[in-house]
Amino acid sequence: MTAETIRVRGLVQGVGFRPFIWRLAAEHGVSGDVRNDGEGVLIRAVGADIDAFADAISAGAPPLSRIESLERAPLEGGLRAEGFSIVETDRGQARTGITPDAATCADCIAEITDPAERRHSYAFANCTHCGPRFSILEAIPYDRATTVMSDFEMCPACRAEYDDPADRRFHAQPIACPDCGPKLWLERDGAVVGGDPIAETAGLLRGGAIVAIKGIGGFHLACDAADEAAVAALRDRKRRPAKPFALMAPDIPAIRARCAVSAAEKALLRDPAAPIVLLRRLGDDLAPSLAPGLSVLGWMLPYTPLHHLLMTAFGGPLVMTSGNLSGEPQVIGNDEARQKLAPFCDAFLMHDRRIARRLDDSVVRVVAGEVRVLRRARGYAPAPLELPPGLAAMPPVAAFGGELKSAICLSRDGRAYLSHHLGDLEDALSYGEFEKAAADYAGIFDHQAAAVAADLHPDYRSSQFAERRAERSRLPLARIQHHHAHIAAAMAENGWPVDGGPVLGVALDGLGFGPDGTIWGGEFLCCDYRDFRRLGRLKPVPLPGGDAANREPWRNLVAQLDAAIGWDAARAMLDGHRLGDRLAAKPVDMLLRMIARGVNAPLSSSTGRLFDAVAAALGLAFERVTYEGQAAMEAEALAMSSADNGAYSFALADAADPPHLDPGPMWAELVSDLVSTVPPAAVARRFHRGFAYAVADFAVQLAGKANAGAIALSGGVMQNALLTELVLDRLGGGNRPILTQRQVPANDGGISYGQAAIASVRHGRRP
Ligand code: ZN
Ligand code: ZN
Ligand code: FE
């Protein structure tokens, strides 16, 4: 007999790890005990064959767990134990056991569809392998009493399952059944509708109604995705003219009938995180206004028993868009929903399990063969992300990100806790959410920051929050340039070592504040984690009207044409063409005066605005965009529909300081194509290809000059799958590793993670 301690680290609490160990111990004739503590799971084991026992732990770990390391050591003094026991958690000890919400597991689905089971048709069934977690957590440690489930007292049958280590529901904190758990009801005009709420809801939806449905992390607004009148009514009521609606399908075949689904995409749809997966549209029977002008639809599968029951009853795809007022966060409370969502919906499918924390649906896309998270929220947060090895010894940092797609990030011991998506901070309620999240995450992870990080932009609400925080706590504040943070995020996510030397970072982005006071967004930076040098950029072009230029793509078109070929020449080329007529109806002279005098026309090297200008030239979102990225997304969709192999030319201004890519030649070619008979889709494609090649070639040239060890790609424009694939194609075969983002969004949702890496190094101990 030998006695050992086995220390398991990783995502091992709140995922059924202790009962799993208990069962293994029984199988292997091991005695001793298992407990959760501040570092993970600690096992004391006595037995004849501890090797086999330890191997079995690694081999058969529960589905939601993730073992990072397993360390074994002889047990000092041995252990006299009879049998094997699960030791209760010391209060205030376990801090590592906060797991993301997980989609309903196969066993629970089987139960709710089996008439013989006591949870048949029960909308809140869950077990150790599935169900709500982060969304119901109110305090730590994670325990029934510290979740919203403390509102419900377990019945004897549930209690027996909860106490039985051999049961799938042993210590499943959200355990519930029809006798003791949350209840579902349908509410209309302030009164509860009789009958089965699921069947009644499905009936309403079939009749074209819009129903608010309470989910895991907030309310959705649902309607029949094939019913154009219902979808149009939802757009009208939400004042959301074009932003795509997410969909939920009963199963994979229902999605396959409408979109292309690869093996990787199928796995993502079925992942316990159950994100919205962006899939290429093939042509379908669905409402035309679901995603106007786009070539992808966002799909998810049912991820709660409620969704499963509803999808089975309804039978087809449903729109499932977040229930909120335009720009505001998703509604989570029942009374809040009744107040705010009543104008949008005909009925409410409600329940009485509170939502402790608002969590939007996550959004992912497979680009160039890799899963890329575009919005990190339900199902992913708050799982820790790894930081490169050298960062483990650095002091903990609190980083507060950017302004749009806000998220905060706390780092400690080589791990980063990147918060769920908190929304755009221009909105007052989203900012409130951000402030709450800062306290929430610090509390949950017992995080004491030694340094604070913020964007360089002085007017971001997150920057001002960070300034106050640093001042109040007397902590050093690292101000970090937006695109340096983007690139550092790509470096850190790929484990680029702290002493790994310089990387050539390409940030293709919307807007970010530059240290020279101009607006950056098409940057070629030589970076390490401490600092950066700007080696190249896109040619700066005025943004006539400032903020208005961010909303009205035609303004960027005028500025780009003027900068590239001169307005008079452009007008002459476009004479008699539809685009010429559209521009002639605009106050172009006023814009040209603003540009000439440099009044309210700041210079910017933004890639996003270049895409806006090209989209406007193609007649896409010409007047205005109604959601961020609209023009560029429509341009991508148009380009995807063409197989053209052409590529427009960009000039390299080598002598400029810093050198820049000049889109001048591209504009001349694009305009001449537009006024001849080249189809707009081919024009869009030639722009994408030309730009991708120019960016890749410039990056390789600069990487050589700077002796960079890798090329890193980041920024919101990298969400464009076609562009990313073309850039990677062109870079392929080079001898430098290419660092791209996967788990951390390439958009501003990843800024705080990059900030945390930089601030750690700037304020860390020097080796
Ligand atoms: Zn389950
Ligand atoms: Zn019960
Ligand atoms: Fe950005």
Side-chain angles (χ1 to χ4, degrees), residues 460 482-483 486 508-512 715-716 746-748 751:
Y460 280 179
H482 189 86
H483 302 102
H486 270 308
L508 304 179
D509 202 30
L511 307 172
N747 59 46
D748 286 5
I751 285 288

Side-chain angles (χ1 to χ4, degrees), residues 669-702:
E669 292 164 18
L670 182 145
V671 171
S672 105
D673 275 359
L674 270 186
V675 299
S676 63
T677 54
V678 180
V683 172
R685 188 94 184 184
R686 290 174 189 180
F687 163 70
H688 273 79
R689 187 183 297 276
F691 182 63
Y693 287 4
V695 164
D697 295 350
F698 194 23
V700 169
Q701 186 205 315
L702 293 173

Side-chain angles (χ1 to χ4, degrees), residues 479-505:
R479 300 305 295 254
I480 293 161
Q481 201 279 325
H482 189 86
H483 302 102
H484 186 206
H486 270 308
I487 300 304
M491 291 162 63
E493 188 185 356
N494 287 281
W496 188 256
V498 172
D499 56 2
V503 162
L504 194 280

Side-chain angles (χ1 to χ4, degrees), residues 308-323:
H308 281 283
L309 297 168
L310 180 64
M311 294 312 293
T312 304
F314 182 74
L318 286 177
V319 166
M320 287 287 243
T321 187
S322 61

Side-chain angles (χ1 to χ4, degrees), residues 103-109 125-131 168-169:
T104 310
C105 74
D107 289 340
C108 285
I109 295 173
N126 64 79
C127 73
T128 312
H129 308 310
C130 75
R168 201 172 90 245
R169 294 194 168 89

